[in-house]
Amino acid sequence: MGRDWRDDRIAELEGKLALRDEQIAGLLARVAELEERLGRSSRNSSKPPSSDGPADRHKRRSKKPSGRAPGGQPGHDKHEHPEVDPEKVSKRIVLRPDRCARCAKRLVGSDPEPRRHHVYELPEIEPIITEYLLHMLLCPDCGHATRAALPEGVPTRIFGPSVTAVCSYLMGVHRLGKRGAAEVLHDLCALPISVGAVVDSQEEASQALAAPYDEALSHAQAAPIKNADETGWREGNGKSSAKAWLWTLVTSKVIVFMVHKSRAQDAAMRLLLGAKTALKDIVFGCLGTDRHGAYNFWPLAMRQFCWSHLTRDFTAIAERPGAAGRLGRKLLGETERMFAWWHRVRDGTLTRARFKVCMRPLRDRVEALLLEGSTLGNKSTARTCAKLLKSAEAMWTFVRIEGLEPTNNSGERAVRHGVIYRKVSGGTKSEAGSRFVERMLTVHATLRLQGRPILPFLRAACEARLRRSAPPSLLPLAPARRTLRTLHAAA
């Protein structure tokens, strides 16, 4: 008996339905991918918080109100006006009441402990102008005319090291442009300085800070515990402007910046290792970073992934439908538990020994969830979980090494000033400008971290350059107690 034409028709329709089911599944997957991409924010991806929309900002601020009034709370540490040395008082006015405020009777005598009320005023600033009269005299024998030379340490420019220091301070610390710095000096100090002279001051300050910067970079590279991060930058002018990157290396007492045209491994190695290229000869310290591949040359046993970034990855998984979402929520639960214990360690309410014991089963649960996620049908979830499993050792280094944080927040906080600098200025116009920025950002961040004043340091560096003497140092006064040897012993 021959094949019925209806069977052929049914087979044809079944084939079309299967094709359409396949197309629908592909379209649904594409829609889910686009919706996930549309929902990306600083909560669930590496996007910066400044790129968030109003709804995302509201989610970040969705903290339950405490019900307390704004401002300082009862019991907080007061920031009162400091006591003034009597010798520093410029003018003293004694005030005594003539009559009683109640009965108007005449009053006589003095108060042994009068209340001291201080009023601060700023003096009118005028430039200090030193004139050098360089005589030229003729030799009576040969007739040669000889002009007197400037003493050593006197600049050939009309502006001295104090002006150079203030110019660099205004541009590097307070992010003023060159024209803005010139206007501030003109308005506050009656200094007749041009934009071109500000540029010259920038170049002089950059050269004066070269040696302290190199010393600080070497110190940070040798630190036993450090964090690194990077953010976008621009270098060049007009059509020659190109993408660059602002890198930062953070230690407990020194923070160093570097502008580089690459975000790849060569830039990370230059920041972290300098001229050292033979990895086998290097004693690695502990390094906290995000999961950027440029740091993959660092040994996993001495590297710490940022758990703030891992939380964003887990949040992205939790926001997906189905099994991936359930797995992501379990990962977030374990992360929350880990941070609760870690905060107790920092507060001193949980010992490190007990913390290590608690973390063993938590690590087993997290890695089991990652293994489960690597087999899910959701490609994005499987890819993320597989990558984390491959380098899972770098998720738990902070448990072994005391002093190492589980997040890279110190690196992200340090780079924030540079981000604002870039948004205000648009980047740098030349390599010389980039050197000035990285050196000034290093001076600013390091001295703020150490609680040292910035302007006197800049002036001392500029004066040392003129005198050809040793510049001031950015290194902390007290040496670090921990060494790479003790860290590797702990590892």
Side-chain angles (χ1 to χ4, degrees):
M1 186 175 179
R3 182 179 176 84
D4 193 339
W5 65 270
R6 287 172 292 190
D7 294 335
D8 295 336
R9 181 60 176 164
I10 291 172
E12 180 185 353
L13 292 175
E14 287 178 346
K16 289 183 177 179
L17 286 174
L19 178 61
R20 289 180 182 177
D21 288 344
E22 184 179 347
Q23 291 175 339
I24 290 172
L27 290 173
L28 288 175
R30 178 63 174 162
V31 168
E33 179 187 351
L34 292 175
E35 286 181 342
E36 181 177 339
R37 191 179 302 177
L38 186 64
R40 285 179 184 170
S41 66
S42 60
R43 293 172 48 255
N44 55 18
S45 71
S46 58
K47 293 179 65 177
S50 59
S51 65
D52 289 346
D56 297 315
R57 296 192 188 101
H58 176 71
K59 289 179 182 177
R60 289 208 316 267
R61 299 194 194 107
S62 58
K63 206 174 176 182
K64 292 182 180 180
S66 63
R68 297 179 297 183
Q73 303 300 316
H76 79 289
D77 294 334
K78 294 183 179 180
H79 299 281
E80 296 180 337
H81 175 65
E83 290 291 331
V84 178
D85 189 343
E87 296 179 356
K88 293 186 177 181
V89 175
S90 306
K91 184 179 180 181
R92 184 173 287 106
I93 299 176
V94 179
L95 300 174
R96 295 184 178 88
D98 294 332
R99 296 182 178 275
C100 175
R102 176 184 293 178
C103 65
K105 184 176 180 179
R106 185 175 294 277
L107 301 175
V108 295
S110 297
D111 184 354
E113 295 184 0
R115 191 179 73 179
R116 301 171 68 188
H117 174 72
H118 297 126
V119 177
Y120 285 77
E121 293 284 354
L122 294 176
E124 292 187 6
I125 304 174
E126 291 187 358
I128 300 173
I129 303 173
T130 303
E131 183 179 56
Y132 295 87
L133 301 177
L134 306 180
H135 287 260
M136 183 172 66
L137 301 177
L138 293 175
C139 176
D141 293 337
C142 66
H144 178 73
T146 302
R147 176 80 68 185
L150 289 171
E152 185 177 354
V154 176
T156 56
R157 299 173 61 226
I158 66 170
F159 297 111
S162 61
V163 177
T164 301
V166 172
C167 283
S168 57
Y169 176 79
L170 293 174
M171 291 185 288
V173 176
H174 297 287
R175 303 183 288 269
L176 289 183
K178 298 172 179 61
R179 192 173 302 278
E183 290 177 354
V184 167
L185 289 172
H186 180 270
D187 293 341
L188 292 183
C189 307
L191 193 71
I193 187 169
S194 65
V195 175
V198 172
V199 174
D200 294 339
S201 296
Q202 172 183 311
E203 294 176 356
E204 282 203 8
S206 182
Q207 295 173 16
L209 296 175
Y213 171 86
D214 292 339
E215 183 186 32
L217 178 58
S218 298
H219 176 86
Q221 290 169 344
I225 295 177
K226 44 189 167 278
N227 291 75
D229 199 13
E230 73 289 333
T231 187
W233 194 259
R234 300 291 301 183
E235 183 180 284
N237 195 7
K239 294 182 179 179
S240 63
S241 177
K243 184 76 172 177
W245 296 90
L246 177 66
W247 295 74
T248 184
L249 183 58
V250 180
T251 70
S252 61
K253 292 297 182 182
V254 173
I255 300 176
V256 183
F257 290 85
M258 179 188 76
V259 177
H260 200 281
K261 294 182 179 179
S262 171
R263 197 193 176 205
Q265 183 171 299
D266 61 328
M269 294 183 71
R270 179 179 172 185
L271 174 72
L272 296 169
L273 306 178
K276 303 171 185 176
T277 55
L279 297 182
K280 61 182 179 65
D281 299 330
I282 296 172
V283 180
F284 289 92
C286 290
L287 176 65
T289 67
D290 53 23
R291 292 195 295 118
H292 180 37
Y295 305 106
N296 286 347
F297 67 92
W298 207 266
L300 287 176
M302 303 302 290
R303 185 177 172 192
Q304 175 60 53
F305 286 161
C306 174
W307 272 86
S308 294
H309 285 77
L310 294 177
T311 302
R312 298 173 197 169
D313 293 333
F314 297 159
T315 301
I317 296 174
E319 292 178 351
R320 293 167 187 156
R326 290 191 294 273
L327 182 134
R329 288 188 286 275
K330 290 180 181 179
L331 287 170
L332 286 175
E334 299 294 346
T335 303
E336 185 177 351
R337 187 175 294 109
M338 182 274 290
F339 272 118
W341 291 340
W342 174 251
H343 292 154
R344 288 186 58 194
V345 171
R346 291 198 308 184
D347 295 342
T349 58
L350 182 67
T351 64
R352 285 198 63 87
R354 182 60 185 165
F355 175 67
K356 290 180 179 180
V357 172
C358 295
M359 286 297 294
R360 290 171 192 159
L362 187 143
R363 174 176 179 174
D364 293 339
R365 292 193 299 270
V366 169
E367 293 185 358
L369 289 171
L370 293 176
L371 180 60
E372 178 185 348
S374 65
T375 63
L376 291 179
N378 188 295
K379 293 182 179 179
S380 298
T381 300
R383 183 169 57 250
T384 300
C385 292
K387 286 183 177 179
L388 287 175
L389 270 178
K390 187 177 180 180
S391 51
E393 188 177 7
M395 297 171 61
W396 315 103
T397 309
F398 77 100
V399 181
R400 294 184 290 109
I401 305 298
E402 186 176 357
L404 182 63
E405 291 283 330
T407 68
N408 195 31
N409 292 347
S410 60
E412 295 190 351
R413 283 195 301 267
V415 84
R416 195 170 299 157
H417 181 72
V419 171
I420 300 174
Y421 194 111
R422 180 200 68 212
K423 290 186 175 183
V424 172
S425 65
T428 46
K429 308 301 182 191
S430 63
E431 291 188 10
S434 296
R435 300 293 79 77
F436 170 77
V437 166
E438 65 188 16
R439 292 165 185 171
M440 276 303 306
L441 291 181
T442 297
V443 169
H444 171 247
T446 297
L447 295 183
R448 282 281 186 263
L449 185 65
Q450 298 176 13
R452 295 164 59 187
I454 297 174
L455 191 56
F457 180 93
L458 295 174
R459 181 167 183 172
C462 294
E463 290 175 348
R465 179 178 178 273
L466 285 174
R467 296 193 303 265
R468 294 184 176 88
S469 59
S473 175
L474 288 170
L475 302 190
L477 299 178
R481 294 182 180 179
R482 309 195 66 199
T483 64
L484 293 177
R485 189 184 299 259
T486 59
L487 279 177
H488 279 271

